[in-house]
Amino acid sequence: MPPDVLTPERILEATEDVLRRFGPAKATVVDVARALGVSHGSVYRHFPSKVALREAVTGRWLERAHGELAGIASAAGPAPERLAAWLGALFAAKRRKALGDPELFATYRSLFGEHSAVVRSHLADLCGQLRVIIEDGAARGEFAADGPAADPATAAQAVFDATVRFHDPVHAAHWSAAGIEEAHDAVVALVLRGLSAR
Amino acid sequence: MPPDVLTPERILEATEDVLRRFGPAKATVVDVARALGVSHGSVYRHFPSKVALREAVTGRWLERAHGELAGIASAAGPAPERLAAWLGALFAAKRRKALGDPELFATYRSLFGEHSAVVRSHLADLCGQLRVIIEDGAARGEFAADGPAADPATAAQAVFDATVRFHDPVHAAHWSAAGIEEAHDAVVALVLRGLSAR
């Protein structure tokens, strides 16, 4: 196998470079092929359409940004602490992306705006992780069985919705504002108390 | 006084019409003057700049949309019910505006994006109303004195932040989605339980 064999991973890396350079409106499969020194037909053999390529690169980016969250959700230990850690890690990862690599973040924001299947599946996956923590907390008696945690799927969505200011890219412009961490902590404290056993 | 005397109110009405017809990017003071059959100098005598006119028309629209909220905040009765009613009224007013008059709503969204003093003052006013309800609830023993309500200003901001999905215009595209009212109710229930006395 030659060292420069055209793998899906190499195509996705080149796509991310091209998106960062040209922006999502202008980047084409031909640009990606040119960056790799191959024909666009070679790219299409791995990704059958521009949409498929964008979905794959978005999925890879989301996985890289949020891979640690699944580990927090399934860890041992008290559910309230895990929930706080999970929400804190989500906000930290989002801020890191938004403030550390603003061009690429803007690109992904625009891809998210296309309401792709991969984004929907990612959001469902995050709510599923919240649900696991909430179910654990209810089973351990840390979250009230007669409170919102009685319906873990609805409670998971409510927690995700209540913290939307700290993870939805539409709010990214506020993530470097003074007091934003205190505001985040106040919402997390309110949500935790809303779930907790008395 | 002739019936068609040029009052600030008539100028603001004409401005709203012009904004709706031309959009915020194109609407000018000259358009407003033309709609009223007066010189632009006559408009400038009441509003010294285009910015001043936009601020005034935004303030009028916000007052009209949210005037009922102050009454709910200062009413008698249990604070938890008032808080739920206030949040429900805010969401209902926002949805009515967004879904009932989308052109004008888009216009005001764009004016909000200019981060004007009138919008900042409006948001501070809304948080102030939440604070009054939370202080009342703490004084009446309905909200826990050792919980988030111990710091009513921070708690008010946390409640406003936790419900942002249901009042910030950046989320308006979701306000007609299936299940949005149930999602709203679940967040309000979580927030109320987070404040409540045990």
mmCIF file of all heavy atoms in Angstrom, chain B residues 81-127:
data_model
loop_
_atom_site.group_PDB
_atom_site.id
_atom_site.type_symbol
_atom_site.label_atom_id
_atom_site.label_comp_id
_atom_site.label_asym_id
_atom_site.label_seq_id
_atom_site.Cartn_x
_atom_site.Cartn_y
_atom_site.Cartn_z
ATOM 1 N N GLU B 81 -47.126 30.183 40.885
ATOM 2 C CA GLU B 81 -48.136 30.323 39.824
ATOM 3 C C GLU B 81 -47.869 31.554 38.975
ATOM 4 O O GLU B 81 -48.040 31.533 37.752
ATOM 5 C CB GLU B 81 -49.542 30.409 40.439
ATOM 6 C CG GLU B 81 -50.001 29.070 40.982
ATOM 7 C CD GLU B 81 -51.269 29.178 41.830
ATOM 8 O OE1 GLU B 81 -52.060 30.121 41.608
ATOM 9 O OE2 GLU B 81 -51.440 28.312 42.710
ATOM 10 N N ARG B 82 -47.465 32.643 39.628
ATOM 11 C CA ARG B 82 -47.155 33.861 38.876
ATOM 12 C C ARG B 82 -45.964 33.640 37.950
ATOM 13 O O ARG B 82 -45.949 34.112 36.809
ATOM 14 C CB ARG B 82 -46.851 35.006 39.835
ATOM 15 C CG ARG B 82 -48.068 35.877 40.101
ATOM 16 C CD ARG B 82 -47.647 37.114 40.850
ATOM 17 N NE ARG B 82 -47.272 36.804 42.215
ATOM 18 C CZ ARG B 82 -46.446 37.553 42.945
ATOM 19 N NH1 ARG B 82 -45.862 38.617 42.402
ATOM 20 N NH2 ARG B 82 -46.192 37.236 44.191
ATOM 21 N N LEU B 83 -44.957 32.917 38.463
ATOM 22 C CA LEU B 83 -43.770 32.669 37.637
ATOM 23 C C LEU B 83 -44.145 31.832 36.406
ATOM 24 O O LEU B 83 -43.737 32.144 35.272
ATOM 25 C CB LEU B 83 -42.693 31.955 38.466
ATOM 26 C CG LEU B 83 -41.352 31.703 37.751
ATOM 27 C CD1 LEU B 83 -40.751 33.001 37.222
ATOM 28 C CD2 LEU B 83 -40.355 31.018 38.698
ATOM 29 N N ALA B 84 -44.951 30.793 36.613
ATOM 30 C CA ALA B 84 -45.380 29.955 35.483
ATOM 31 C C ALA B 84 -46.223 30.778 34.506
ATOM 32 O O ALA B 84 -46.056 30.660 33.279
ATOM 33 C CB ALA B 84 -46.161 28.745 35.993
ATOM 34 N N ALA B 85 -47.107 31.626 35.036
ATOM 35 C CA ALA B 85 -47.963 32.443 34.166
ATOM 36 C C ALA B 85 -47.116 33.450 33.374
ATOM 37 O O ALA B 85 -47.352 33.681 32.181
ATOM 38 C CB ALA B 85 -49.016 33.176 35.006
ATOM 39 N N TRP B 86 -46.145 34.045 34.042
ATOM 40 C CA TRP B 86 -45.270 35.038 33.397
ATOM 41 C C TRP B 86 -44.483 34.393 32.253
ATOM 42 O O TRP B 86 -44.442 34.916 31.145
ATOM 43 C CB TRP B 86 -44.322 35.616 34.451
ATOM 44 C CG TRP B 86 -43.560 36.841 34.041
ATOM 45 C CD1 TRP B 86 -43.900 38.142 34.268
ATOM 46 C CD2 TRP B 86 -42.289 36.876 33.340
ATOM 47 N NE1 TRP B 86 -42.938 38.986 33.753
ATOM 48 C CE2 TRP B 86 -41.945 38.247 33.179
ATOM 49 C CE3 TRP B 86 -41.427 35.903 32.849
ATOM 50 C CZ2 TRP B 86 -40.767 38.654 32.545
ATOM 51 C CZ3 TRP B 86 -40.262 36.305 32.198
ATOM 52 C CH2 TRP B 86 -39.941 37.669 32.056
ATOM 53 N N LEU B 87 -43.873 33.228 32.524
ATOM 54 C CA LEU B 87 -43.084 32.550 31.488
ATOM 55 C C LEU B 87 -43.993 32.090 30.339
ATOM 56 O O LEU B 87 -43.625 32.185 29.167
ATOM 57 C CB LEU B 87 -42.338 31.347 32.090
ATOM 58 C CG LEU B 87 -41.209 31.709 33.069
ATOM 59 C CD1 LEU B 87 -40.707 30.464 33.810
ATOM 60 C CD2 LEU B 87 -40.037 32.394 32.349
ATOM 61 N N GLY B 88 -45.191 31.627 30.688
ATOM 62 C CA GLY B 88 -46.140 31.217 29.648
ATOM 63 C C GLY B 88 -46.575 32.396 28.788
ATOM 64 O O GLY B 88 -46.687 32.286 27.564
ATOM 65 N N ALA B 89 -46.808 33.553 29.430
ATOM 66 C CA ALA B 89 -47.235 34.754 28.689
ATOM 67 C C ALA B 89 -46.113 35.264 27.794
ATOM 68 O O ALA B 89 -46.356 35.717 26.665
ATOM 69 C CB ALA B 89 -47.683 35.844 29.672
ATOM 70 N N LEU B 90 -44.882 35.192 28.280
ATOM 71 C CA LEU B 90 -43.747 35.628 27.455
ATOM 72 C C LEU B 90 -43.631 34.754 26.205
ATOM 73 O O LEU B 90 -43.530 35.266 25.079
ATOM 74 C CB LEU B 90 -42.450 35.553 28.280
ATOM 75 C CG LEU B 90 -41.151 35.929 27.535
ATOM 76 C CD1 LEU B 90 -41.189 37.376 27.055
ATOM 77 C CD2 LEU B 90 -39.926 35.697 28.432
ATOM 78 N N PHE B 91 -43.688 33.440 26.393
ATOM 79 C CA PHE B 91 -43.580 32.524 25.250
ATOM 80 C C PHE B 91 -44.753 32.740 24.280
ATOM 81 O O PHE B 91 -44.570 32.805 23.055
ATOM 82 C CB PHE B 91 -43.535 31.081 25.752
ATOM 83 C CG PHE B 91 -43.310 30.050 24.667
ATOM 84 C CD1 PHE B 91 -42.471 30.299 23.588
ATOM 85 C CD2 PHE B 91 -43.916 28.805 24.743
ATOM 86 C CE1 PHE B 91 -42.253 29.335 22.604
ATOM 87 C CE2 PHE B 91 -43.708 27.840 23.761
ATOM 88 C CZ PHE B 91 -42.883 28.109 22.688
ATOM 89 N N ALA B 92 -45.963 32.878 24.828
ATOM 90 C CA ALA B 92 -47.148 33.072 23.972
ATOM 91 C C ALA B 92 -47.020 34.353 23.152
ATOM 92 O O ALA B 92 -47.318 34.376 21.950
ATOM 93 C CB ALA B 92 -48.412 33.092 24.825
ATOM 94 N N ALA B 93 -46.563 35.441 23.795
ATOM 95 C CA ALA B 93 -46.424 36.717 23.076
ATOM 96 C C ALA B 93 -45.380 36.600 21.973
ATOM 97 O O ALA B 93 -45.580 37.080 20.851
ATOM 98 C CB ALA B 93 -46.042 37.826 24.058
ATOM 99 N N LYS B 94 -44.257 35.952 22.278
ATOM 100 C CA LYS B 94 -43.202 35.780 21.283
ATOM 101 C C LYS B 94 -43.699 34.954 20.105
ATOM 102 O O LYS B 94 -43.439 35.283 18.945
ATOM 103 C CB LYS B 94 -41.993 35.067 21.919
ATOM 104 C CG LYS B 94 -41.282 35.899 22.943
ATOM 105 C CD LYS B 94 -40.340 36.884 22.265
ATOM 106 C CE LYS B 94 -39.565 37.658 23.312
ATOM 107 N NZ LYS B 94 -38.528 38.496 22.716
ATOM 108 N N ARG B 95 -44.387 33.859 20.398
ATOM 109 C CA ARG B 95 -44.891 33.006 19.310
ATOM 110 C C ARG B 95 -45.892 33.754 18.444
ATOM 111 O O ARG B 95 -45.900 33.641 17.228
ATOM 112 C CB ARG B 95 -45.586 31.772 19.876
ATOM 113 C CG ARG B 95 -44.657 30.798 20.511
ATOM 114 C CD ARG B 95 -45.426 29.594 20.997
ATOM 115 N NE ARG B 95 -45.611 28.613 19.936
ATOM 116 C CZ ARG B 95 -46.473 27.612 19.995
ATOM 117 N NH1 ARG B 95 -47.260 27.485 21.049
ATOM 118 N NH2 ARG B 95 -46.569 26.757 19.006
ATOM 119 N N ARG B 96 -46.788 34.510 19.115
ATOM 120 C CA ARG B 96 -47.800 35.282 18.388
ATOM 121 C C ARG B 96 -47.122 36.222 17.397
ATOM 122 O O ARG B 96 -47.522 36.319 16.235
ATOM 123 C CB ARG B 96 -48.611 36.088 19.405
ATOM 124 C CG ARG B 96 -50.074 36.223 19.105
ATOM 125 C CD ARG B 96 -50.878 36.542 20.369
ATOM 126 N NE ARG B 96 -50.251 37.504 21.266
ATOM 127 C CZ ARG B 96 -50.173 37.324 22.581
ATOM 128 N NH1 ARG B 96 -50.656 36.227 23.149
ATOM 129 N NH2 ARG B 96 -49.620 38.240 23.337
ATOM 130 N N LYS B 97 -46.101 36.921 17.863
ATOM 131 C CA LYS B 97 -45.386 37.860 16.999
ATOM 132 C C LYS B 97 -44.660 37.131 15.877
ATOM 133 O O LYS B 97 -44.706 37.531 14.716
ATOM 134 C CB LYS B 97 -44.351 38.644 17.822
ATOM 135 C CG LYS B 97 -44.956 39.612 18.798
ATOM 136 C CD LYS B 97 -45.544 40.793 18.062
ATOM 137 C CE LYS B 97 -46.315 41.692 19.019
ATOM 138 N NZ LYS B 97 -47.084 42.708 18.312
ATOM 139 N N ALA B 98 -43.961 36.057 16.233
ATOM 140 C CA ALA B 98 -43.109 35.373 15.252
ATOM 141 C C ALA B 98 -43.945 34.684 14.181
ATOM 142 O O ALA B 98 -43.601 34.707 13.000
ATOM 143 C CB ALA B 98 -42.216 34.351 15.953
ATOM 144 N N LEU B 99 -45.048 34.054 14.592
ATOM 145 C CA LEU B 99 -45.837 33.273 13.642
ATOM 146 C C LEU B 99 -46.911 34.120 12.992
ATOM 147 O O LEU B 99 -47.290 33.876 11.845
ATOM 148 C CB LEU B 99 -46.467 32.053 14.341
ATOM 149 C CG LEU B 99 -45.471 31.182 15.132
ATOM 150 C CD1 LEU B 99 -46.183 30.044 15.853
ATOM 151 C CD2 LEU B 99 -44.380 30.619 14.228
ATOM 152 N N GLY B 100 -47.407 35.155 13.699
ATOM 153 C CA GLY B 100 -48.526 35.935 13.175
ATOM 154 C C GLY B 100 -48.107 37.046 12.225
ATOM 155 O O GLY B 100 -48.867 37.421 11.340
ATOM 156 N N ASP B 101 -46.916 37.591 12.401
ATOM 157 C CA ASP B 101 -46.480 38.714 11.565
ATOM 158 C C ASP B 101 -44.995 38.523 11.282
ATOM 159 O O ASP B 101 -44.148 39.288 11.754
ATOM 160 C CB ASP B 101 -46.737 40.035 12.303
ATOM 161 C CG ASP B 101 -46.635 41.242 11.363
ATOM 162 O OD1 ASP B 101 -46.108 41.081 10.239
ATOM 163 O OD2 ASP B 101 -47.072 42.338 11.758
ATOM 164 N N PRO B 102 -44.661 37.460 10.513
ATOM 165 C CA PRO B 102 -43.248 37.088 10.356
ATOM 166 C C PRO B 102 -42.371 38.180 9.744
ATOM 167 O O PRO B 102 -41.207 38.307 10.135
ATOM 168 C CB PRO B 102 -43.288 35.842 9.459
ATOM 169 C CG PRO B 102 -44.677 35.668 9.002
ATOM 170 C CD PRO B 102 -45.577 36.519 9.847
ATOM 171 N N GLU B 103 -42.910 38.996 8.821
ATOM 172 C CA GLU B 103 -42.078 40.042 8.205
ATOM 173 C C GLU B 103 -41.633 41.043 9.274
ATOM 174 O O GLU B 103 -40.462 41.394 9.376
ATOM 175 C CB GLU B 103 -42.833 40.801 7.103
ATOM 176 C CG GLU B 103 -43.127 39.981 5.860
ATOM 177 C CD GLU B 103 -44.346 39.094 6.034
ATOM 178 O OE1 GLU B 103 -45.106 39.300 7.014
ATOM 179 O OE2 GLU B 103 -44.530 38.175 5.217
ATOM 180 N N LEU B 104 -42.620 41.512 10.060
ATOM 181 C CA LEU B 104 -42.285 42.507 11.069
ATOM 182 C C LEU B 104 -41.369 41.902 12.134
ATOM 183 O O LEU B 104 -40.440 42.548 12.627
ATOM 184 C CB LEU B 104 -43.566 43.059 11.715
ATOM 185 C CG LEU B 104 -43.377 44.344 12.505
ATOM 186 C CD1 LEU B 104 -42.855 45.465 11.622
ATOM 187 C CD2 LEU B 104 -44.695 44.768 13.159
ATOM 188 N N PHE B 105 -41.622 40.626 12.468
ATOM 189 C CA PHE B 105 -40.790 39.960 13.465
ATOM 190 C C PHE B 105 -39.346 39.874 12.977
ATOM 191 O O PHE B 105 -38.403 40.142 13.731
ATOM 192 C CB PHE B 105 -41.341 38.568 13.765
ATOM 193 C CG PHE B 105 -40.669 37.897 14.928
ATOM 194 C CD1 PHE B 105 -40.973 38.275 16.231
ATOM 195 C CD2 PHE B 105 -39.731 36.895 14.732
ATOM 196 C CE1 PHE B 105 -40.346 37.669 17.314
ATOM 197 C CE2 PHE B 105 -39.103 36.281 15.804
ATOM 198 C CZ PHE B 105 -39.413 36.664 17.089
ATOM 199 N N ALA B 106 -39.169 39.518 11.704
ATOM 200 C CA ALA B 106 -37.816 39.440 11.137
ATOM 201 C C ALA B 106 -37.145 40.805 11.197
ATOM 202 O O ALA B 106 -35.950 40.925 11.472
ATOM 203 C CB ALA B 106 -37.877 38.931 9.696
ATOM 204 N N THR B 107 -37.935 41.840 10.942
ATOM 205 C CA THR B 107 -37.406 43.204 11.006
ATOM 206 C C THR B 107 -36.912 43.530 12.405
ATOM 207 O O THR B 107 -35.806 44.033 12.596
ATOM 208 C CB THR B 107 -38.513 44.187 10.605
ATOM 209 O OG1 THR B 107 -38.756 44.008 9.210
ATOM 210 C CG2 THR B 107 -38.108 45.624 10.869
ATOM 211 N N TYR B 108 -37.730 43.203 13.400
ATOM 212 C CA TYR B 108 -37.327 43.524 14.758
ATOM 213 C C TYR B 108 -36.167 42.655 15.216
ATOM 214 O O TYR B 108 -35.289 43.110 15.938
ATOM 215 C CB TYR B 108 -38.523 43.442 15.720
ATOM 216 C CG TYR B 108 -39.340 44.694 15.609
ATOM 217 C CD1 TYR B 108 -40.531 44.733 14.903
ATOM 218 C CD2 TYR B 108 -38.866 45.869 16.161
ATOM 219 C CE1 TYR B 108 -41.252 45.903 14.765
ATOM 220 C CE2 TYR B 108 -39.576 47.048 16.033
ATOM 221 C CZ TYR B 108 -40.762 47.056 15.340
ATOM 222 O OH TYR B 108 -41.448 48.228 15.201
ATOM 223 N N ARG B 109 -36.140 41.408 14.748
ATOM 224 C CA ARG B 109 -34.989 40.553 15.050
ATOM 225 C C ARG B 109 -33.711 41.211 14.594
ATOM 226 O O ARG B 109 -32.703 41.198 15.277
ATOM 227 C CB ARG B 109 -35.121 39.225 14.291
ATOM 228 C CG ARG B 109 -35.446 38.079 15.167
ATOM 229 C CD ARG B 109 -35.252 36.803 14.403
ATOM 230 N NE ARG B 109 -33.863 36.375 14.428
ATOM 231 C CZ ARG B 109 -33.460 35.173 14.059
ATOM 232 N NH1 ARG B 109 -34.346 34.306 13.609
ATOM 233 N NH2 ARG B 109 -32.205 34.844 14.116
ATOM 234 N N SER B 110 -33.764 41.773 13.397
ATOM 235 C CA SER B 110 -32.582 42.419 12.851
ATOM 236 C C SER B 110 -32.232 43.668 13.661
ATOM 237 O O SER B 110 -31.061 43.940 13.933
ATOM 238 C CB SER B 110 -32.840 42.729 11.388
ATOM 239 O OG SER B 110 -32.121 43.847 10.991
ATOM 240 N N LEU B 111 -33.249 44.420 14.098
ATOM 241 C CA LEU B 111 -32.967 45.594 14.939
ATOM 242 C C LEU B 111 -32.368 45.146 16.277
ATOM 243 O O LEU B 111 -31.454 45.782 16.794
ATOM 244 C CB LEU B 111 -34.247 46.404 15.176
ATOM 245 C CG LEU B 111 -34.869 47.059 13.929
ATOM 246 C CD1 LEU B 111 -36.106 47.850 14.311
ATOM 247 C CD2 LEU B 111 -33.877 47.973 13.218
ATOM 248 N N PHE B 112 -32.882 44.041 16.849
ATOM 249 C CA PHE B 112 -32.323 43.528 18.106
ATOM 250 C C PHE B 112 -30.845 43.208 17.925
ATOM 251 O O PHE B 112 -30.043 43.405 18.824
ATOM 252 C CB PHE B 112 -33.020 42.234 18.536
ATOM 253 C CG PHE B 112 -34.459 42.408 18.887
ATOM 254 C CD1 PHE B 112 -35.265 41.295 19.056
ATOM 255 C CD2 PHE B 112 -35.013 43.655 19.045
ATOM 256 C CE1 PHE B 112 -36.592 41.437 19.369
ATOM 257 C CE2 PHE B 112 -36.352 43.801 19.362
ATOM 258 C CZ PHE B 112 -37.142 42.676 19.528
ATOM 259 N N GLY B 113 -30.512 42.664 16.753
ATOM 260 C CA GLY B 113 -29.133 42.283 16.468
ATOM 261 C C GLY B 113 -28.179 43.460 16.550
ATOM 262 O O GLY B 113 -26.977 43.290 16.701
ATOM 263 N N GLU B 114 -28.726 44.680 16.431
ATOM 264 C CA GLU B 114 -27.870 45.869 16.551
ATOM 265 C C GLU B 114 -27.506 46.154 18.017
ATOM 266 O O GLU B 114 -26.816 47.110 18.306
ATOM 267 C CB GLU B 114 -28.580 47.079 15.915
ATOM 268 C CG GLU B 114 -28.790 46.914 14.410
ATOM 269 C CD GLU B 114 -29.709 47.983 13.798
ATOM 270 O OE1 GLU B 114 -30.115 48.912 14.524
ATOM 271 O OE2 GLU B 114 -30.010 47.866 12.600
ATOM 272 N N HIS B 115 -28.002 45.305 18.944
ATOM 273 C CA HIS B 115 -27.665 45.426 20.372
ATOM 274 C C HIS B 115 -27.929 46.835 20.898
ATOM 275 O O HIS B 115 -27.063 47.463 21.487
ATOM 276 C CB HIS B 115 -26.202 45.071 20.614
ATOM 277 C CG HIS B 115 -25.904 43.649 20.246
ATOM 278 N ND1 HIS B 115 -26.494 42.586 20.879
ATOM 279 C CD2 HIS B 115 -25.115 43.108 19.292
ATOM 280 C CE1 HIS B 115 -26.064 41.470 20.339
ATOM 281 N NE2 HIS B 115 -25.234 41.751 19.372
ATOM 282 N N SER B 116 -29.103 47.315 20.619
ATOM 283 C CA SER B 116 -29.400 48.687 20.974
ATOM 284 C C SER B 116 -29.628 48.848 22.471
ATOM 285 O O SER B 116 -29.914 47.891 23.192
ATOM 286 C CB SER B 116 -30.642 49.129 20.229
ATOM 287 O OG SER B 116 -31.767 48.508 20.792
ATOM 288 N N ALA B 117 -29.519 50.063 22.913
ATOM 289 C CA ALA B 117 -29.747 50.389 24.316
ATOM 290 C C ALA B 117 -31.175 50.039 24.719
ATOM 291 O O ALA B 117 -31.422 49.578 25.834
ATOM 292 C CB ALA B 117 -29.479 51.879 24.546
ATOM 293 N N VAL B 118 -32.126 50.214 23.813
ATOM 294 C CA VAL B 118 -33.518 49.963 24.169
ATOM 295 C C VAL B 118 -33.755 48.467 24.379
ATOM 296 O O VAL B 118 -34.529 48.066 25.263
ATOM 297 C CB VAL B 118 -34.484 50.579 23.120
ATOM 298 C CG1 VAL B 118 -34.472 49.821 21.821
ATOM 299 C CG2 VAL B 118 -35.900 50.670 23.658
ATOM 300 N N VAL B 119 -33.077 47.622 23.611
ATOM 301 C CA VAL B 119 -33.217 46.175 23.795
ATOM 302 C C VAL B 119 -32.559 45.751 25.112
ATOM 303 O O VAL B 119 -33.123 44.982 25.888
ATOM 304 C CB VAL B 119 -32.631 45.399 22.599
ATOM 305 C CG1 VAL B 119 -32.557 43.906 22.907
ATOM 306 C CG2 VAL B 119 -33.473 45.632 21.350
ATOM 307 N N ARG B 120 -31.357 46.270 25.372
ATOM 308 C CA ARG B 120 -30.691 45.959 26.645
ATOM 309 C C ARG B 120 -31.557 46.351 27.824
ATOM 310 O O ARG B 120 -31.707 45.607 28.790
ATOM 311 C CB ARG B 120 -29.346 46.700 26.736
ATOM 312 C CG ARG B 120 -28.185 45.930 26.100
ATOM 313 C CD ARG B 120 -26.838 46.472 26.598
ATOM 314 N NE ARG B 120 -26.694 47.899 26.372
ATOM 315 C CZ ARG B 120 -26.307 48.438 25.220
ATOM 316 N NH1 ARG B 120 -26.003 47.663 24.196
ATOM 317 N NH2 ARG B 120 -26.209 49.729 25.081
ATOM 318 N N SER B 121 -32.158 47.524 27.725
ATOM 319 C CA SER B 121 -33.004 48.010 28.811
ATOM 320 C C SER B 121 -34.256 47.139 28.955
ATOM 321 O O SER B 121 -34.720 46.851 30.064
ATOM 322 C CB SER B 121 -33.344 49.476 28.537
ATOM 323 O OG SER B 121 -34.625 49.794 28.974
ATOM 324 N N HIS B 122 -34.794 46.689 27.832
ATOM 325 C CA HIS B 122 -35.961 45.799 27.849
ATOM 326 C C HIS B 122 -35.625 44.476 28.542
ATOM 327 O O HIS B 122 -36.384 43.988 29.386
ATOM 328 C CB HIS B 122 -36.417 45.564 26.399
ATOM 329 C CG HIS B 122 -37.398 44.456 26.229
ATOM 330 N ND1 HIS B 122 -38.704 44.558 26.677
ATOM 331 C CD2 HIS B 122 -37.283 43.234 25.669
ATOM 332 C CE1 HIS B 122 -39.340 43.428 26.386
ATOM 333 N NE2 HIS B 122 -38.504 42.618 25.775
ATOM 334 N N LEU B 123 -34.474 43.886 28.199
ATOM 335 C CA LEU B 123 -34.091 42.612 28.796
ATOM 336 C C LEU B 123 -33.850 42.779 30.298
ATOM 337 O O LEU B 123 -34.242 41.922 31.103
ATOM 338 C CB LEU B 123 -32.830 42.061 28.106
ATOM 339 C CG LEU B 123 -33.017 41.685 26.622
ATOM 340 C CD1 LEU B 123 -31.707 41.231 26.000
ATOM 341 C CD2 LEU B 123 -34.095 40.618 26.446
ATOM 342 N N ALA B 124 -33.227 43.891 30.690
ATOM 343 C CA ALA B 124 -33.001 44.153 32.118
ATOM 344 C C ALA B 124 -34.336 44.304 32.842
ATOM 345 O O ALA B 124 -34.512 43.840 33.972
ATOM 346 C CB ALA B 124 -32.147 45.409 32.288
ATOM 347 N N ASP B 125 -35.313 44.924 32.162
ATOM 348 C CA ASP B 125 -36.632 45.106 32.739
ATOM 349 C C ASP B 125 -37.317 43.753 32.964
ATOM 350 O O ASP B 125 -37.911 43.506 34.018
ATOM 351 C CB ASP B 125 -37.458 45.991 31.787
ATOM 352 C CG ASP B 125 -38.789 46.373 32.381
ATOM 353 O OD1 ASP B 125 -38.833 46.668 33.589
ATOM 354 O OD2 ASP B 125 -39.795 46.352 31.643
ATOM 355 N N LEU B 126 -37.215 42.869 31.989
ATOM 356 C CA LEU B 126 -37.819 41.539 32.134
ATOM 357 C C LEU B 126 -37.176 40.774 33.290
ATOM 358 O O LEU B 126 -37.870 40.165 34.110
ATOM 359 C CB LEU B 126 -37.688 40.740 30.827
ATOM 360 C CG LEU B 126 -38.514 41.236 29.636
ATOM 361 C CD1 LEU B 126 -38.309 40.323 28.431
ATOM 362 C CD2 LEU B 126 -40.001 41.331 29.968
ATOM 363 N N CYS B 127 -35.836 40.817 33.383
ATOM 364 C CA CYS B 127 -35.160 40.137 34.496
ATOM 365 C C CYS B 127 -35.559 40.767 35.833
ATOM 366 O O CYS B 127 -35.679 40.067 36.841
ATOM 367 C CB CYS B 127 -33.642 40.161 34.308
ATOM 368 S SG CYS B 127 -33.070 38.874 33.185
#
